[in-house]
Amino acid sequence: MPHPLRSVAVFCGSRFGADPAHGVAARALGTGLAEQGLKLVYGGGGVGLMGEIASAALAAGGAVHGVIPDFLLRAERPPPSGMTALEVVPSMHARKTRMFELSDGFIALSGGLGTLDELVEILTWRQLGLHDKPVVALDIAGWAQPFLALVEAMIGQGFVAESGRRLFQLAPDVPECLALLRAAPLPDSAMPAARL
Ligand code: AMP
């Protein structure tokens, strides 16, 4: 059966992380997206987990669309060839907006502050009703646990609504993550992304 979504953005680290499980998951996710016919939208880099997921998706015959700010072309070194598209944009904000526009859903794979920024921003846009695209956080080697604890603490302190828990789903591994995306209700394409 064709996948209900066409493209998924993956936010992930420009480093590999200390635990090899993160690299294993990045490769499995790249392969899994390609096998399901989902286009990978990502930050366009060839370094760390970003490079791993892009190469795995391309090796499995998938489509890969990178979006990278011009000033990061040197530091994040896009993969040399084979990308379906590599868009060079003028700023970090343009990158996030463009990745949002290109994607029907979002996955936060392991990463650092940049990954966290991207995950939180997409959740705040959803909290504001600017979109209802599915968001899944992958909990590889416990990566998502401190974030979950922070959200729970903010709910307990009365700064986040109880419904904040439903802004994203948590997946313990790549197969569950892909299953959650397949089962997610279709996003409403009429929502006001123009207000981003
Ligand atoms: P990191 O998780 O810190 O390794 O970063 C992962 C990706 O997020 C890299 O491509 C960074 O360039 C990107 N990134 C870092 N900060 C931001 C930001 N404020 N907005 C958008 N992307 C960012």
Side-chain angles (χ1 to χ4, degrees), residues 7 12 24 34 70 72 78 86 94-95 107-108 115 131 135-136 146 157 161 183 189-190:
S7 55
C12 63
V24 171
D70 46 11
L72 279 178
L86 180 65
R95 177 198 244 178
I107 297 171
T115 303
H131 74 91
V135 183
V136 180
Q157 291 167 0
S189 54

Side-chain angles (χ1 to χ4, degrees), residues 138-152:
L138 254 169
D139 189 27
I140 303 300
W143 176 80
Q145 291 304 318
F147 179 68
L148 272 188
L150 181 62
V151 172
E152 286 300 328

Side-chain angles (χ1 to χ4, degrees), residues 136-140 169-174 176-178 180:
V136 180
L138 254 169
D139 189 27
I140 303 300
Q169 291 174 286
L170 194 69
D173 54 32
V174 168
E176 178 68 16
C177 174
L178 292 170
L180 287 172

Side-chain angles (χ1 to χ4, degrees), residues 120-175:
V120 170
E121 184 144 57
I122 213 70
L123 291 177
T124 58
W125 289 352
R126 194 173 158 141
Q127 180 173 252
L128 292 169
L130 294 172
H131 74 91
D132 64 352
K133 301 179 184 183
V135 183
V136 180
L138 254 169
D139 189 27
I140 303 300
W143 176 80
Q145 291 304 318
F147 179 68
L148 272 188
L150 181 62
V151 172
E152 286 300 328
M154 290 187 293
I155 291 172
Q157 291 167 0
F159 289 112
V160 176
E162 297 271 340
S163 58
R165 287 194 188 95
R166 294 196 293 278
L167 293 171
F168 65 101
Q169 291 174 286
L170 194 69
D173 54 32
V174 168

Side-chain angles (χ1 to χ4, degrees), residues 12-15 50 72 76 92 95-96 111-115 117-118:
C12 63
S14 55
R15 297 170 178 239
M50 299 170 76
L72 279 178
E76 295 194 352
M92 301 303 270
R95 177 198 244 178
K96 282 189 285 195
L113 294 174
T115 303
D117 172 271
E118 291 168 315

Side-chain angles (χ1 to χ4, degrees), residues 54-71:
S55 331
L58 290 169
V64 176
H65 191 131
V67 185
I68 191 162
D70 46 11
F71 79 97

